Amino acid sequence: MYALIWRLLPGERPVKIAIAAGLVLVVAAILWYAVFPWVEPKIQFDHGVMNGDPATTPAATPSGR
């Protein structure tokens, strides 16, 4: 797959490297600014609760000092 993309890129080796790096940056920017913000509310990977209600976890209760 990558060999096919490499062969389809125009120019000599330095030009191909520059174009490939630009394509990687464009894909990363699209993922960062469009795809990840759209997916984040659906996944909610930062709202992890392992054992029930978050209000009853030991970290949420006072330490009792």
Side-chain angles (χ1 to χ4, degrees), residues 2-45:
Y2 296 116
L4 174 67
I5 295 170
W6 186 256
R7 283 194 304 267
L8 291 176
L9 291 175
E12 295 295 321
R13 184 180 202 99
V15 175
K16 287 184 178 188
I17 291 171
I19 293 172
L23 289 173
V24 167
L25 289 175
V26 167
V27 168
I30 290 171
L31 286 171
W32 189 264
Y33 291 108
V35 176
F36 294 155
W38 175 75
V39 169
E40 192 269 334
K42 295 167 181 40
I43 295 176
Q44 297 185 0
F45 54 85

